[in-house]
Amino acid sequence: MNRRRLQIGMWNAFSEEDMERFGSDAIGGIEICQYRDNESLLYTTNICKEKGLSFGIHTPVFGG
């Protein structure tokens, strides 16, 4: 079970660059908001599964 509660915001799409730049071992998840489409959301959920991260939604999920 993932007990790290710190999340990093990922608005519009998942950014590997932001994870490398701002991420740390203390981060247990990401907060998503204003995504472009289902494809970008699916990509993010797959990344979370691969990295063992949770994600929260800061509504609205999709922008526009």
Side-chain angles (χ1 to χ4, degrees), residues 10-23:
M10 291 284 172
W11 269 237
N12 303 311
F14 181 83
S15 169
E16 192 69 48
E17 181 180 307
D18 285 351
M19 280 298 286
E20 289 180 25
R21 186 172 176 198
F22 303 113

Side-chain angles (χ1 to χ4, degrees), residues 10-47:
M10 291 284 172
W11 269 237
N12 303 311
F14 181 83
S15 169
E16 192 69 48
E17 181 180 307
D18 285 351
M19 280 298 286
E20 289 180 25
R21 186 172 176 198
F22 303 113
S24 79
D25 290 338
I27 293 174
I30 62 173
E31 184 176 52
I32 64 173
C33 182
Q34 299 284 333
Y35 272 45
R36 296 179 291 239
D37 52 33
N38 283 328
E39 186 176 314
S40 60
L41 180 60
L42 181 59
Y43 177 78
T44 299
T45 58
N46 288 334
I47 291 290

